Amino acid sequence: MFDFMPADVRPRPIQRSIPIRALAQSQEFTRAVQLRGQKPLVLDQLGDTVVMQQRFWGRVDVAMVNRAQITKPLRLLELLQENGLRRTPVILSPQSLTPDLAKLGAVPLISPAQVAQLELTTSKSERRAALHQKWRNRLNHAESQNLRVKCENMPLDPDHWLLQADAKQQGQRGYRNWPMDLTLAYVHENPGKAKLFQAFEDREVIAAVLILCHGNSATYHISHSTDRGRSLSAHNLLMWKAMNWLAAQDYLQLDLGLINTEDAAGLARFKLGTGAKLHSLGGTWAYWPPMGRLLGPLAALDRRLMTPRKTGQA
């Protein structure tokens, strides 16, 4: 039993006239952080590239460019200086590999991670065929349990059970997600763009997934499943319904986030089991304008650090 219309089954042509942007580079994200009092710099000369600014230890200002498609790294660095950041350290984490940063004096800090990206432009039957066999078996199991899936806008409620469960889980497992107030700011500033999918057994909610929509794509944000939900494979059912709903709304891609096969192997298998493909990010670089190209030779010595780490599909 489902509370929303099934997705269309017709394949749709891939439309790339508007580029797919990561969540951190979206207008929706910018509106959310502005509500929290932050003032990101938006470079309209480079396709509205978002530059966050943060002060560390109460005195050191740092500019951060996260998940941007940096096709013109030199122009980016010039624009940062033109906008008053001549002596501000810059942390660059490109959406894709950007080796030219080394030639400009940026120093590599962290090697490229990988994210799972799921294309949504195929038909429903093609998406199902792309599921890994074990993932599909769990979906079949969930579909046989007479669960009810509900899709609605995320309530603007700090006491919502999913937000509370995620906060507790972060503390137990020692990882950090968005602060709750940022998620609520996103909900407030982007009506209808934070979609909550919940699975019910009778009247009891046993699992939930929160998807953030932005531009022509979406991002898997947070999720939680009870012990009963796990036993019924409810998470697989929710992801399947979310994928189909997004496709029916003409979203082109679902970003499932980082893949970590060392510390979160189970979650990595779940994400890749959807048929998602691995995409290598561009690593993390540091650039300090006063040094300019003087650090170029140092960056060249450490280029091996910026070679993408290989992650096997589970």
Side-chain angles (χ1 to χ4, degrees):
M1 179 178 180
F2 307 107
D3 291 343
F4 52 88
M5 294 297 292
D8 67 311
V9 296
R10 293 174 298 174
R12 294 173 289 117
I14 297 177
Q15 300 175 355
R16 290 287 189 265
S17 57
I18 301 177
I20 292 176
R21 300 171 68 94
L23 175 59
Q25 288 296 315
S26 68
Q27 294 179 354
E28 291 82 358
F29 176 77
T30 300
R31 287 193 288 265
V33 297
Q34 287 174 333
L35 183 64
R36 297 175 76 232
Q38 295 173 271
K39 297 180 180 180
L41 172 64
V42 180
L43 302 175
D44 56 3
Q45 304 96 323
L46 285 180
D48 293 333
T49 295
V50 177
V51 183
M52 298 298 298
Q53 300 179 69
Q54 188 169 343
R55 175 164 290 185
F56 291 94
W57 308 293
R59 57 180 180 176
V60 180
D61 292 320
V62 176
M64 294 174 289
V65 184
N66 186 29
R67 297 287 301 268
Q69 197 66 258
I70 305 178
T71 56
K72 299 179 179 179
L74 177 58
R75 184 57 181 145
L76 170 61
L77 298 178
E78 291 173 344
L79 284 171
L80 292 177
Q81 296 185 55
E82 292 170 13
N83 281 272
L85 302 177
R86 289 185 176 277
R87 301 192 64 82
T88 302
V90 183
I91 302 298
L92 301 151
S93 300
Q95 174 71 359
S96 301
L97 299 175
T98 313
D100 284 350
L101 285 171
K103 302 175 185 177
L104 300 174
V107 177
L109 299 179
I110 303 174
S111 59
Q114 293 179 310
V115 294
Q117 295 180 338
L118 179 67
E119 292 290 329
L120 300 172
T121 54
T122 55
S123 68
K124 184 178 179 180
S125 60
E126 289 172 319
R127 287 193 294 276
R128 188 149 190 140
L131 300 174
H132 290 203
Q133 185 61 54
K134 290 183 179 179
W135 207 102
R136 191 183 305 112
N137 290 342
R138 294 189 184 102
L139 175 59
N140 292 336
H141 175 238
E143 290 175 329
S144 69
Q145 303 304 314
N146 197 32
L147 299 177
R148 178 170 61 92
V149 173
K150 184 177 182 181
C151 172
E152 61 183 342
N153 293 331
M154 180 69 188
L156 191 62
D157 178 11
D159 294 323
H160 190 277
W161 79 268
L162 176 58
L163 297 179
Q164 293 298 322
D166 181 64
K168 182 179 180 180
Q169 185 170 274
Q170 288 185 53
Q172 292 174 339
R173 300 184 181 180
Y175 69 92
R176 293 183 62 186
N177 205 333
W178 278 19
M180 186 187 300
D181 67 328
L182 179 54
T183 297
L184 292 171
Y186 194 97
V187 173
H188 182 275
E189 289 299 292
N190 302 289
K193 293 296 185 75
K195 308 303 295 190
L196 175 66
F197 295 82
Q198 295 184 98
F200 293 83
E201 184 181 34
D202 295 327
R203 295 187 177 183
E204 180 182 2
V205 60
I206 59 174
V209 170
L210 178 59
I211 303 289
L212 302 183
C213 302
H214 45 93
N216 55 9
S217 60
T219 296
Y220 175 93
H221 188 48
I222 58 176
S223 64
H224 187 78
S225 183
T226 65
D227 290 339
R228 181 61 175 167
R230 283 187 285 273
S231 70
L232 298 180
S233 305
H235 201 181
N236 297 73
L237 180 62
L238 287 175
M239 278 301 303
W240 175 243
K241 292 300 174 182
M243 291 158 53
N244 292 333
W245 183 89
L246 290 167
Q249 303 302 312
D250 291 330
Y251 289 103
L252 303 181
Q253 186 182 87
L254 175 60
D255 188 331
L256 295 172
L258 293 173
I259 293 296
N260 184 342
T261 57
E262 296 180 0
D263 302 320
L267 182 58
R269 285 194 295 270
F270 177 82
K271 292 178 178 180
L272 294 175
T274 63
K277 304 300 182 183
L278 290 171
H279 170 75
S280 291
L281 301 178
T284 300
W285 304 72
Y287 177 78
W288 193 36
M291 296 298 292
R293 297 175 184 265
L294 295 178
L295 295 179
L298 176 60
L301 291 175
D302 208 7
R303 284 181 182 173
R304 286 183 299 176
L305 180 65
M306 306 315 279
T307 300
R309 294 172 295 186
K310 293 184 178 180
T311 303
Q313 296 209 14

